[in-house]
Amino acid sequence: MASPEIEALTTALARLPGLGPRSARRAVLHLLRKRDGALIPLLDALATVNERMQTCHLCGNVDTTDPCGVCADPRRDARSLCVVEDVADLWALERSRLFPGRFHVLGGRLSALDGVRPEDLTIAQLVSRVAEGGVDEVVLAMNATLEGQTTAHYIAERLEPYPIRLTQLAHGLPVGGELDYLDEGTLAQALRARRPVG
């Protein structure tokens, strides 16, 4: 039996996505055995991120700076904007290093079942970004779920009055799949095969 403090750490880790109680126990044992090489650096990194974490006011990405590293990068193509549901989707596309433009994080997807309405997402901010001008293409990178595709259609309707090229990721993505779980090859093919909406 572990102490209440170690059990509390195990329980906290078990709440993380992808970790269950057994994996959390193994992680805690590793951290305790490798205290100087694993536990202390992890604690320092968590404390630093906790103190400095910010949400980018331009795109909605999570970073330690505002604007985030993606928005602040002068090499990014400001004329191309990729709309994603969540920060995890932005990070997945960034890992592929294939999209040279900027991003817009919606903060979720429309869902009548969960009570998520357009005003609960950053759709109005997206429309404002496009209305300001300077954007030639908007790539709708919604997850291939019913809610994701509903969100994409709603955004397409809202952006219809603007003279932009509106595209979405190709349907090589698995139905019901989420961008964060796809490999770089699948993401690369989906980005290359994007097509106009409508």
Side-chain angles (χ1 to χ4, degrees):
M1 289 294 289
S3 70
E5 294 84 2
I6 293 173
E7 282 300 321
L9 176 59
T10 304
T11 302
L13 286 177
R15 289 189 193 117
L16 295 174
L19 286 180
R22 290 174 62 192
S23 298
R25 258 191 304 283
R26 283 194 294 272
V28 167
L29 283 172
H30 174 77
L31 291 170
L32 295 175
R33 285 186 191 129
K34 307 283 186 186
R35 183 175 180 182
D36 291 337
L39 180 61
I40 293 172
L42 176 63
L43 291 172
D44 291 343
L46 286 170
T48 301
V49 168
N50 185 47
E51 290 170 13
R52 298 179 58 191
M53 186 187 81
Q54 300 181 52
T55 300
C56 179
H57 75 280
L58 296 172
C59 74
N61 189 15
V62 177
D63 205 339
T64 55
T65 59
D66 184 18
C68 69
V70 175
C71 289
D73 186 348
R75 297 169 297 180
R76 304 300 290 224
D77 182 3
R79 294 169 297 144
S80 193
L81 190 62
C82 184
V83 181
V84 294
E85 292 177 18
D86 203 312
V87 172
D89 300 332
L90 186 156
W91 290 2
L93 286 165
E94 271 300 280
R95 278 194 311 269
S96 76
R97 299 176 190 236
L98 293 168
F99 184 70
R102 301 226 168 125
F103 290 91
H104 184 89
V105 179
L106 293 172
R109 58 185 169 228
L110 297 175
S111 173
L113 212 56
D114 298 324
V116 180
R117 302 164 303 165
E119 49 273 11
D120 298 323
L121 306 176
T122 62
I123 295 173
Q125 293 89 325
L126 169 64
V127 173
S128 294
R129 285 180 81 177
V130 172
E132 287 173 8
V135 175
D136 295 335
E137 179 186 16
V138 173
V139 180
L140 300 176
M142 309 294 104
N143 289 310
T145 61
L146 179 61
E147 293 89 355
Q149 295 309 301
T150 300
T151 306
H153 288 295
Y154 180 81
I155 291 171
E157 287 177 6
R158 292 285 308 271
L159 295 178
E160 194 174 347
Y162 301 98
I164 58 168
R165 182 172 172 237
L166 192 59
T167 59
Q168 69 181 27
L169 295 185
H171 283 281
L173 302 175
V175 173
E178 295 187 6
L179 294 177
D180 191 36
Y181 295 104
L182 299 177
D183 64 295
E184 283 78 8
T186 303
L187 284 170
Q189 186 172 352
L191 272 170
R192 280 193 295 272
R194 63 185 186 262
R195 57 186 173 75
V197 176

